[in-house]
Amino acid sequence: MSLTEYQRKRDFRKTPEPAGRKASSRGELTFVIQKHAASRLHYDFRLELDGTLKSWAVPKGPSLDPTVKSLAVQVEDHPLAYAEFEGIIPQGEYGGGTVMVWDYGAWEPEGEEDPLAAWQGGKLKFTLAGQKLKGSWALVRMGGRAGEGGKNWLLIKHDDRAAKSANEYDVLTKKPRSAVSRRTMDQIAAAADKVWSGDAGAAKKSGSKQTPASAAAKRTGPKGKAAKPSATKKAVAGRPVTAASAGKIAGAKRRALPREMKPQLATLVAAAPEGDQWLHELKFDGYRILARLQQGKVVMLTRNGHDWTHRFKGIAAALATLPLENGWIDGEIVALNGEGISDFQQLQNQLRRGDEQSLAFYAFDLPFAQGYDLRAAALVDRKKFLADVLAASPDGVVRYSDHLVGSGEEFARQACKEGLEGIICKRADSSYVGARSPAWVKVKCTRRQEFVIGGFTKPQGGRRGFGALLLGVYQGKKLVYAGRVGTGFTQRSLRDIHGELLKRKRKTSPFDSLPKGTDERGVTWLSPELIAEVAFTEWTDEGLLRHPSFQGLREDKKPQAIVREEPTVAKGNNSKTKGSTGKRGSANAKSQRAEGDSVVAGVEITHPDRVVFAETGLTKLELARYYEEVAEWIMPHVAGRPLTVVRCPGGAGGKCFYQKHLTDSMPESVRGVEIKEKDEIEPYLVVDDLGGLISLVQLGALEFHPWPARADNVERPDRLVFDLDPAEDVAWDEVVRGAREVRDLLEALGLQSFVRTSGGKGLHVVAPIDRRTTWEQHKEFARGVAETLVRAAPDRYVATMTKAKRRGKIFVDYLRNQRGATAIASYATRARAGAPVATPLRWSELTTLESSDHYTVANVRDRLRRLKKDPWEGFTGVRQSITAKALSQVAT
């Protein structure tokens, strides 16, 4: 069947559905199930076959119960691009209503018969590997009168490990969320309506010949010119930006203004993703800044948390005039050259002179406003409120970074044509995650990144200062040589940079090695502390830069964070892209081909089908995808902390070992923090983003145990952890009772606490604290709390590890609070049968919880989707300390 019937039924000037065309398979066969609220609610089941999506309407939806035979009515074929469609079909159009991607994944035909012939013969057996539906299935065409001329089929689940009875689990009874955006039907309808009614959508519907890129150029000012207020600003002028209006945003949570805010970072990709679920912004060439506003006071922080308010006093003054009583604004400060283009080198020169003329702050996100945490809200809602806030902004100083919906490749071409650095592509429905996320990706017009400076050569001819800078990137702890740059300098930058270089002279090379034949005569070696931003055309086969040009020094990043950037393919982008050249480039091309199959957060998962939890059949790839899905929940508990991981190369049933030190074999996304251990300085593992966490999963890590202290000051702990570990003969109710008694005792000592399952046998009671106590005080207080419980109920508690004394009692393990000790991270898996997950709870949930291993990889994601509030709401905002009075109260 061709797409003629599909296209005949639709007017693509009025519906956002893809027109599409018949296409050849891209390798792995895709299936999708879309929940469709048309005239009657139903589910559309689609299988990729013969260049289209073979489609059936399933009125009651698929069932995991093998005894249920679900009616599936065959409809017209749909284009392959329809698998990614989620939004609203306008009322009055064919199929008008809301569409959700309910499940999505790959499928494989079963048996040796050609699947197309099997489908034509009316009996197709297949295996699904989706997020909700898995295992073996069949589609069987009904005969006779019931077959309605071949249209009526039966969708049947085979009786296998993935099958469930209706009493055990009925996926359709739960409030489903999208498999790609996690939104409900109502949220999709609201967001799709906003996106479709926007400027780009209006141009699309009216048939305007104006390209999306040119529209963005007029609205955003791609060259950064101080144009008239944009159409967006005119539209929002005068709308309220009160706390009440902020509280009406879906996902907004009432909270105190956070003291810190981690920026969301974008992943480099080779081409812009397509589809109206993506918003595209211009990429600015400046310094990323998070501005904290509170009662007219503005603090401007770099991505690493450095206070640069004093360097941008004019912009801070402009921000202070905004109608925002409190909030965090995310944006970028740029300098505009004579062409109106953001120029990083000019920005540096102006900063040296203290000149703020022609500087502008482009604001593109609003993660917190008017007493409400907006990080869980959809990006389109955050940007709409941001536009309202900036409506009163002085023109030319603080500007709204507008966006375009869809047409990513065309937008990128236009940006490059205008001489810009590139574009940023963001999912319209994405939340704000303080880490690198696949929901934000960047496309660069030219290859450009930061490099660590490890040396310089003597100047030649009439040049002064130095000749060229020797550059490198980190691979783990090694600084790998990447070539040299000798162009792009001015006389002033040569003089200024030379002065900085001379402060860092050393006798030996900081590079791991240099290419054979490298002339080291006349080279001055440097401590690897300075960072240069360099533009270049490509990488050579030897891993060196081709045609590099110096752009400026960077002060907002750490040398150890500088790694070789390689583009991947954005999720949902099916366009073919070119990888980088050379040996490493071909490896990158392999990663691109695997995207959607074995690449998670930019990390290629080798042996993706290896089962790591035998009881559930959970594979290594599925585990990596679990961590990707819960990234916004787990990363605040592991990022930036020394880690001990449990590595199980053969899976949870094989041999496992603990690892806490960084080794040369570790990927570059994992860094080390030097900590004194006895008489040695040891590099402890640290990850800063999701890519680092997934890299450890790729190495077989099944458990993550962070220190109760952060890597930037390991000598000051910031949380107390009490592990209630019951003996085998202790009832679960007693464990729950014990957790509550720990809570009550801590409350009497002035500390608020939170509870989580350990994923093992017991419960953890966790109390965040300010970083004021030493490790000795920290441990002494924890020991005092444990022993206070023992004195009060010696028949129920014990504070010693001796197993002989623990029979019939709960061991109150306070030793998690000594220097070097760790505890399992919230939302981390345990290397135990069933893939249990350490899960934060509300205290009220203890009443109905039956065991500490109740939540697993299989069900914790459904829990997170159902939650209206974070069970540990307010955890990061708690400000409390272990006082001298509290110490004396528990002292023995």
Side-chain angles (χ1 to χ4, degrees), residues 643-649 655-661 663 666 685 701 703-705 816 822-824 830-832:
L643 285 176
T644 296
V645 298
V646 176
R647 291 178 61 183
C648 306
K655 292 184 178 180
C656 301
F657 61 94
Y658 287 88
Q659 181 169 352
K660 60 184 179 180
H661 294 147
T663 62
M666 284 287 177
L685 299 174
E703 295 187 7
F704 298 93
H705 298 252
R816 307 283 181 180
T822 62
I824 190 69
R830 303 301 304 270
R832 298 169 181 259

Side-chain angles (χ1 to χ4, degrees), residues 672-712:
V673 57
E674 293 187 346
I675 299 177
K676 188 173 183 180
E677 192 176 71
K678 297 181 180 179
D679 295 325
E680 301 287 335
I681 301 295
E682 299 289 353
Y684 273 65
L685 299 174
V686 178
V687 299
D688 294 311
D689 56 25
L690 178 61
L693 191 75
I694 299 300
S695 294
L696 292 174
V697 174
Q698 155 61 17
L699 294 176
L702 298 187
E703 295 187 7
F704 298 93
H705 298 252
W707 276 39
R710 300 198 292 271
D712 60 347

Side-chain angles (χ1 to χ4, degrees), residues 28 83 93 177 211 224 270 282 294 302 311 366 453 509 547 606 610 612 667 702 734 834 838 846 871:
E28 185 178 66
E93 297 304 304
R177 290 181 178 267
T211 66
L282 296 173
Q294 186 174 29
T302 68
R311 306 183 77 172
L366 187 66
I453 302 173
S509 169
H547 306 139
T606 60
R610 176 179 291 163
V612 292
L702 298 187
E734 285 299 307
L846 288 178

Side-chain angles (χ1 to χ4, degrees), residues 283-287 303 332 343-345 347-348 421 444 446-453 469 471 485 487-489 497 530-536 545 548-557 562 565:
K283 188 177 189 302
F284 300 106
D285 190 11
Y287 279 123
R303 56 185 288 174
E332 188 143 353
D343 186 326
F344 182 71
Q345 203 165 55
L347 175 60
Q348 283 212 312
E421 187 182 4
K444 293 186 177 181
T446 59
R447 305 211 69 176
R448 180 168 170 165
Q449 72 161 81
E450 299 83 15
F451 294 89
V452 179
I453 302 173
L469 301 176
L471 307 173
V485 59
T487 62
F489 301 98
I497 294 171
L530 294 176
I531 298 171
E533 182 159 345
V534 177
F536 59 101
L545 299 176
S549 175
F550 178 79
Q551 302 298 305
L553 292 179
R554 294 210 71 107
E555 303 173 65
D556 58 337
K557 296 186 178 182
I562 305 304
E565 295 183 358

Side-chain angles (χ1 to χ4, degrees), residues 641 706-709 714-724 742 746 751 756 763-769 773-787 789 799 801 811-824 875 882 887:
R641 293 179 180 273
W707 276 39
V714 297
E715 300 305 331
R716 286 292 185 267
D718 67 349
R719 59 184 59 179
L720 283 157
V721 181
F722 294 93
D723 180 4
L724 300 182
V742 173
L746 290 175
L751 296 177
R756 71 179 172 216
L763 292 169
H764 288 174
V765 179
V766 185
I769 60 169
T773 55
T774 64
W775 281 112
E776 183 177 357
Q777 294 168 326
H778 193 69
K779 180 182 177 182
E780 187 63 19
F781 178 77
R783 184 179 67 84
V785 169
E787 292 184 349
L789 288 168
M801 295 183 66
F811 172 40
V812 185
D813 186 359
Y814 67 91
L815 297 174
R816 307 283 181 180
N817 302 288
Q818 60 186 342
R819 190 179 187 276
T822 62
I824 190 69
F875 181 89
I882 298 173
L887 272 168

